């Protein structure tokens, strides 16, 4: 059985659909999960999809992904801009890491334009709303297959 793609979501993403819909869109996190599952299935892969508002829990899950995942898609949300601990955890992984954001960070406030996560990720998908996740899953699946 192939290892799944881990899709980890940081703080406030549980509020998707209600949270600044003009920036983040109307899809809920459950909608996003369904999109990820469907896109991964095209590659014959399953998804482990989680969200937390706690930095330490995100770090724990990244560590878990090290052995259990074929690839990691991560939307670190606000922690992407602040968390050295998350970067340190990501640096332990040898599986492909794809950073994912709903909004286009390059066009937003200065403090959102860079993330610590980018230092550990293979690449970044940003600005396509829920579609960012689908594109990130595709990248993660193809990178995982290439690495297998
Ligand atoms: C986000 C962008 C972050 O700057 C913000 O803190 C989020 C969501 C996005 O998906 O666009 O919570 O990661």
């Amino acid at each position: 059985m192939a290892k799944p793609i881990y899709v980890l979501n940081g703080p406030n993403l549980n509020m998707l659909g209600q949270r600044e819909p003009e920036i983040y869109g109307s899809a809920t996190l459950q909608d996003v999960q369904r999109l990820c599952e469907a896109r991964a299935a095209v590659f014959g892969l399953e998804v482990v999809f989680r969200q937390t508002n706690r930095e330490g829990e995100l770090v724990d899950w990244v560590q878990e992904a090290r052995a259990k995942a074929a690839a990691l898609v991560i939307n670190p949300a606000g922690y992407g801009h602040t968390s050295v601990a998350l970067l340190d955890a990501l640096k332990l992984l040898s599986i492909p890491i794809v950073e994912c954001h709903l909004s286009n960070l390059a066009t937003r406030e200065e403090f959102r334009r860079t993330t610590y996560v980018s230092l550990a990720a293979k690449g970044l998908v940003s600005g396509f709303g829920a579609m960012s996740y689908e594109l990130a899953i595709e990248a993660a699946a193809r990178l995982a297959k290439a690495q297998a």
Side-chain angles (χ1 to χ4, degrees):
M1 187 68 190
K3 289 180 180 174
I5 298 175
Y6 270 43
V7 183
L8 301 182
N9 295 281
N12 302 305
L13 291 170
N14 55 316
M15 301 307 287
L16 272 189
Q18 301 172 57
R19 177 188 177 205
E20 299 178 274
E22 64 289 356
I23 296 175
Y24 298 117
S26 57
T28 65
L29 196 61
Q30 202 180 14
D31 296 332
V32 170
Q33 178 170 354
R34 283 196 207 100
L35 289 174
C36 288
E37 286 166 355
R39 186 52 59 121
V42 172
F43 296 90
L45 294 172
E46 292 193 342
V47 157
V48 170
F49 192 96
R50 295 184 192 155
Q51 187 275 332
T52 181
N53 291 329
R54 291 168 193 79
E55 184 177 7
E57 191 161 40
L58 203 53
V59 167
D60 285 342
W61 291 345
V62 168
Q63 290 183 6
E64 181 185 313
R66 185 169 182 246
K68 293 194 174 165
L72 172 65
V73 171
I74 183 164
N75 183 348
Y79 289 141
H81 310 297
T82 62
S83 179
V84 174
L86 182 58
L87 171 62
D88 288 343
L90 290 165
K91 281 184 159 175
L92 279 160
L93 273 54
S94 52
I95 57 173
I97 300 168
V98 181
E99 182 177 1
C100 174
H101 297 275
L102 296 143
S103 62
N104 184 349
L105 299 185
T107 63
R108 300 193 62 196
E109 303 98 314
E110 189 70 40
F111 67 87
R112 293 188 204 273
R113 295 200 186 152
T114 56
T115 76
Y116 287 110
V117 170
S118 294
L119 295 170
K122 178 81 177 163
L124 166 82
V125 184
S126 171
F128 301 98
M131 199 206 307
S132 289
Y133 282 79
E134 294 185 272
L135 298 170
I137 290 281
E138 165 137 14
R142 290 173 62 173
L143 289 166
K145 297 238 168 202
Q147 195 167 297

